[in-house]
Amino acid sequence: MATQRPYDNLPARPLGKAAATARDTVFLDAALASGIPAGYQVPPVDEVAVIRRVGAKSGDIAWLADGRTFCFGVAREGYSSYRCGRIPEKGPAPGLLVTVPYTHDRVTSEDDLDEARVVSFVIAEGGPQRFDHVKRGEGTSPVYQAVARFPSGRMVTFLTFDHRESGAPLDPDAEICRSDRAVCFPSEPVPY
């Protein structure tokens, strides 16, 4: 019989800089106004972790309504895209709960297609230890992260990073690791 994971029944709350502030009001109001997939609820703002702020009207956000249900969003000045789902019983690698590759960043015109970027999202177990590239693939952004804690004390880390949709070939050796190197994963798009 498989060991059951312990799951928190209450939402995780963002810690530190990941907590929404007055400066996030404009982009969070717009981001949460539409685009949440059917079957998922808009969370209270105090449950939304701001992973990355991109100006006053844009950013990457995530929330865990409970220990099983996640939503991740990319909001860019009037455009938002969400991926929501259930955290699988078995993660893609030790210390990882879920990975979501290829959420498109906004492309403003056909002329910008070679500048198109895709955002990858990861939820990892544990708290505030820093994640960073061990070897960064060409055209890949830095790693952005936010920590959230469940009422039980269990913590998770939300990570986003983006890369060009086309152009440089994928580098199979490009990795992102936690500072203690106990959790590592490919920084090129990983399977969902």
Side-chain angles (χ1 to χ4, degrees), residues 105-117 165:
D105 201 333
R106 186 175 187 181
V107 176
T108 55
S109 74
E110 290 292 322
D111 296 335
D112 294 337
L113 288 178
D114 57 340
E115 293 299 317
R117 299 191 70 81
E165 187 171 29

Side-chain angles (χ1 to χ4, degrees), residues 163-175:
H163 43 87
R164 285 195 304 259
E165 187 171 29
S166 61
L170 299 181
D171 183 346
D173 296 327
E175 277 190 307

Side-chain angles (χ1 to χ4, degrees), residues 44-139:
V45 170
D46 68 340
E47 293 176 14
V48 177
V50 181
I51 305 166
R52 178 183 179 202
R53 291 168 173 90
V54 185
K57 297 181 181 179
S58 304
D60 300 341
I61 59 176
W63 63 92
L64 285 164
D66 54 48
R68 295 290 316 265
T69 309
F70 74 90
C71 283
F72 155 65
V74 172
R76 301 290 188 264
E77 299 203 26
Y79 161 84
S80 59
S81 175
Y82 288 93
R83 299 278 291 271
C84 296
R86 303 276 289 167
I87 293 174
E89 285 295 323
K90 182 172 166 93
L96 298 180
L97 297 176
V98 70
T99 60
V100 179
Y102 292 119
T103 297
H104 285 85
D105 201 333
R106 186 175 187 181
V107 176
T108 55
S109 74
E110 290 292 322
D111 296 335
D112 294 337
L113 288 178
D114 57 340
E115 293 299 317
R117 299 191 70 81
V118 291
V119 180
S120 291
F121 171 68
V122 175
I123 304 175
E125 286 282 6
Q129 289 193 19
R130 183 78 188 127
F131 281 82
D132 209 346
H133 292 278
V134 171
K135 180 177 181 185
R136 188 192 289 188
E138 186 179 333

